[in-house]
Amino acid sequence: MSRILVVEDEERIAAFVAKGLRAAGMQPTTVRTGADALEIVRSGEVDLVVLDLGLPDTDGFAVLRRMRETGSATPVIILTARTSVEDTVAGLEGGADDYMPKPFRFEELLARIRRRLSTPSGPGETTTLEHGSVSLDLRTRRAGVGGREVELSAREFALAEAFLRHPGQVLSREQLLSRVWGYDFDPGSNVVDVYVRYLRNKLGTEVIATVRGMGYRLDG
């Protein structure tokens, strides 16, 4: 199971990312300060770091610099509201493996984390999801229905993944928005209904049931 350190002082964002990582079969740890982050990284118990730059005790660039000075090769993805070219270049030249601006969508962050993880999956990390005739390979990002490969967009795949991780469970539009589109997405949007319709067209109309007034459920 991949161990991800989330260094983020905004509690809402940290909780959102940690929840999504747990659902993806990973083991997140969240800290608010650079000092705590460096202590955990020194322990060697981390496979990847998601690092904010605006920390209460220091700048994220200083944390990154200290990691690299002490010989840590742990992959680092900077997740920050600083979007200038200068900051992006400084982060990448300072040893970051990726640089992602806020606001962000979780499935994109997850895709970047998976791409940066160089170690094989542990026995506890799920790489294939199956329910009824539908299957998803999380490594190759391929989907299948009844043995037939189906082409899904990145967003459709993320939505299908959310359903396959909770088969038979009713998921509200708000839950799906948070998981697939990100914590900052407009809760009044009908984008969930639109993409459920896309999925039904590709996976089969009987696969996803509408539960009136509650949300959607993945059936057999």
Side-chain angles (χ1 to χ4, degrees), residues 1 20 56 61-62 65 72-73 78 84 96 107 125 132 143 184 187 220:
M1 181 179 294
F61 286 134
R65 183 170 59 252
S72 173
I78 292 178
S84 71
E107 94 279 359
E125 185 174 344
D184 62 327

Side-chain angles (χ1 to χ4, degrees), residues 127-199:
T127 59
T128 303
L129 299 175
E130 295 182 354
H131 183 74
S133 62
V134 181
S135 64
L136 295 179
D137 188 317
L138 304 181
R139 289 288 179 191
T140 63
R141 313 299 288 175
R142 291 179 177 174
V145 179
R148 171 178 56 90
E149 187 169 334
V150 177
E151 184 174 341
L152 299 181
S153 69
R155 195 79 66 190
E156 291 166 348
F157 192 98
L159 183 59
E161 180 178 346
F163 280 120
L164 263 76
R165 289 191 180 278
H166 305 278
Q169 176 181 333
V170 177
L171 298 176
S172 69
R173 287 173 176 82
E174 292 75 16
Q175 287 175 308
L176 293 170
L177 272 173
S178 174
R179 185 174 300 279
V180 178
W181 280 269
Y183 73 96
D184 62 327
F185 206 87
D186 179 9
S189 171
N190 70 338
V191 68
V192 171
D193 308 280
V194 172
Y195 272 81
V196 165
R197 185 166 69 248
Y198 292 163
L199 273 187

Side-chain angles (χ1 to χ4, degrees), residues 30-185:
T30 62
V31 296
R32 297 184 68 253
T33 68
D36 288 340
L38 288 171
E39 182 177 351
I40 293 176
V41 169
R42 279 195 294 266
S43 73
E45 298 297 315
V46 175
D47 298 314
L48 182 141
V49 178
V50 177
L51 177 64
D52 185 23
L53 293 181
L55 301 174
D57 63 334
T58 187
D59 190 272
F61 286 134
V63 176
L64 176 61
R65 183 170 59 252
R66 184 59 180 157
M67 284 179 59
R68 298 314 185 215
E69 287 174 351
T70 56
S72 173
T74 303
V76 174
I77 297 177
I78 292 178
L79 183 65
T80 180
R82 301 186 197 174
T83 58
S84 71
V85 173
E86 291 79 8
D87 282 328
T88 303
V89 171
L92 296 175
E93 290 188 346
D97 297 87
D98 207 341
Y99 195 105
M100 188 170 177
K102 297 176 183 175
F104 64 97
R105 296 184 172 91
F106 178 75
E107 94 279 359
E108 182 182 352
L109 174 62
L110 181 60
R112 295 188 186 210
I113 289 173
R114 284 178 170 146
R115 187 165 66 245
R116 295 299 170 183
L117 287 173
S118 59
T119 54
S121 300
E125 185 174 344
T126 300
T127 59
T128 303
L129 299 175
E130 295 182 354
H131 183 74
S133 62
V134 181
S135 64
L136 295 179
D137 188 317
L138 304 181
R139 289 288 179 191
T140 63
R141 313 299 288 175
R142 291 179 177 174
V145 179
R148 171 178 56 90
E149 187 169 334
V150 177
E151 184 174 341
L152 299 181
S153 69
R155 195 79 66 190
E156 291 166 348
F157 192 98
L159 183 59
E161 180 178 346
F163 280 120
L164 263 76
R165 289 191 180 278
H166 305 278
Q169 176 181 333
V170 177
L171 298 176
S172 69
R173 287 173 176 82
E174 292 75 16
Q175 287 175 308
L176 293 170
L177 272 173
S178 174
R179 185 174 300 279
V180 178
W181 280 269
Y183 73 96
D184 62 327
F185 206 87

